Amino acid sequence: MSEQKRAWWKEAVVYQIYPRSFADSNGDGIGDLNGITAHLDYLKDLGVDAIWVSPIYASPNHDNGYDISDYRAIMKEFGTMEDFDRLLEETHRRGMKLIMDLVVNHSSDEHAWFVESRKSRDNPYRDYYIWKDGKDDGPPNNWGSCFSGSAWEKDEATGQYYLHLFTKEQPDLNWANPAVRDGVFEMMTWWCEKGIDGFRMDVIGMIGKENYNDGPVDPGALYGSFAPSCMHTEATHRYLQEMRKRVLDHYDLLTVGETSGGTENALRYASEDGSELNMVFGFEHNDGINDGNELGKWSDHGTPLKEIRAVLNRRQMELQGKAWNTVYLGNHDQPRQVSRYGNDSELFRTRSAKMLATMIHTLRGTPYVYQGEELGMTNIYFTRVEQYQDVEVHNVWKQWVESGRVDAQDMLRFFARIARDNARTPMQWNAEKNAGFSTGEPWLPVNKNYLLINAEDQINDPDSVWNYYRKLIALRHQYDIFVYGWFEPLLEDSDQIYAYRRVLDKQVLTVALNWTDRKVTCNLMDDLTGEELISNYPTHQKGILQPYEARVILSVTE
Ligand code: TEU
Ligand code: CA
């Protein structure tokens, strides 16, 4: 223990709020800041230490706030700056921290910088964005955007193209321009001076563009990849080191980068030497090792435990002692974790949700809980494309289905399994109208299962998923070993069980998780002496793990 540096952001459990879907205080069907403030006691009771709010800045909402038109103003649907100040104050008053989303790879095309930039080639803000001449009557290179189509948009005013790695309403900022860095760093400092406690940095691994060469084209793909030129470049590391010195080092912040990439990238971004960020989110376990097809993530394939575990274990082993880690399964970009990795049938939903929760709180790294996950909320399983609001879905539909390349029913099946709106349906607070989310018409329908799955019932039920999360979070606060224990993999050949050990001084924490809906032979836990800290079954069977059984035993060695 002595050689490990303690930090509040290592010990914290972070709860992610997607404000649009959390709680609506004024009946317009859209969640808002006052809705969050009204539910802070709920979060305090759950025990979380920090709240990360997805973007709440002024935005035309082409990508639900990930397209920001003013970094120092609050989205009008969400409230006012006074509402924000109160949210911050009330969060702090309860001893919790507030983490802001920082979206600075791109802005909205309605941001004042871009409005100026597109006016003329010699506008003082021209170089705030990335403008290039076309090539052979087409875009400057073959890059595709993350949200379908070319990553370049021709702007009639000047005849040049601008780069947008996401939608065309999200032009990429030009970080090579020192004025852009000054502007972003000043804005960050302004929020830090207000007293916020950290930043979750959106696609921060893409800010440094190394060159503008054509990218490799995967078989069947329509566009080339920008990754070799834009992902994890040396320039990005330089910009982050500069950000660290000019802004982050002046405050006691939690900084988490959304970087994707493998362990080699995480080791640099989140190195314990403190030169860049505290920690980063990896994508590999969620991206699905088997999902490699021309449609990217859109497929029928789940990833077998063996492959998810291999990815998670490699990250655990390679990062410990060198870079701090994050642990999560769900967020606003992923489907509901219980539907994806557990089992959302009535028989197994609660057990499997608890099993996954056990994993998230016992691996080494800061756990991130996405709103509703603590209730075992499930996918909504829309059946028609019109039911979706997400720009990603509609762009994919245009590119692959309307063009006749992919069958509509197939794509709808992929959407139901993996689309982002599955996790964006309103929070299920109680059994009243609209699950207590809003008195008006919710912007996205409430999942019909809210009578069965809602916070009010679960708070009152000692066996609920909610109370299980509460207990796990309390255990993390009580025992250092959950935070600082060394990780050792166990049973690495099993197709059904995820097991590992955490070790700290004389303590050993052994964790066994059955990832299947069947009984599985396993004697790992049988002969352990020690205290069972938590399990999702009241009784155990010798030599067996029951369906989705999770067990955590703390032993002391002499
Ligand atoms: O996401 C970045 C990202 O690359 C993915 O999570 C992406 O949304 C997903 O793979 C789509 O299939 C971040 C935000 O979390 C996301 O909500 C935004 O849409 C995106 O950046 C653009 O800001
Ligand atoms: Ca509202």
Side-chain angles (χ1 to χ4, degrees), residues 18 63 66-67 103 106 146-147 166 170 200 202-203 206 258 283 287 297-298 331-334 392 420 424:
Y18 196 65
D63 188 19
Y66 283 91
D67 49 325
V103 189
H106 45 268
C146 292
F147 287 152
F166 292 89
Q170 294 166 300
R200 173 271 186 190
D202 194 62
V203 290
M206 287 158 51
E258 192 212 25
F283 278 29
D287 274 353
K297 72 178 190 178
W298 307 105
N331 62 34
H332 65 294
D333 291 333
Q334 304 294 336
E392 178 180 39
R420 307 194 294 182
R424 297 179 177 184

Side-chain angles (χ1 to χ4, degrees), residues 362 468 471-472 475-476 478-479 481-482 508-510 530-535 551-555:
T362 57
Y468 193 89
K471 186 166 175 192
L472 278 167
L475 287 168
R476 285 189 60 91
Q478 191 181 345
Y479 296 99
I481 191 167
F482 281 75
V508 180
L509 192 71
T510 310
E531 182 189 354
E532 180 165 283
L533 296 184
I534 192 164
S535 174
R551 296 186 66 182
V552 179
I553 294 182
L554 179 66
S555 321

Side-chain angles (χ1 to χ4, degrees), residues 23-32 77-78:
D24 172 21
S25 70
N26 62 351
D28 66 354
I30 299 174
D32 45 53
E77 294 89 329
F78 288 177

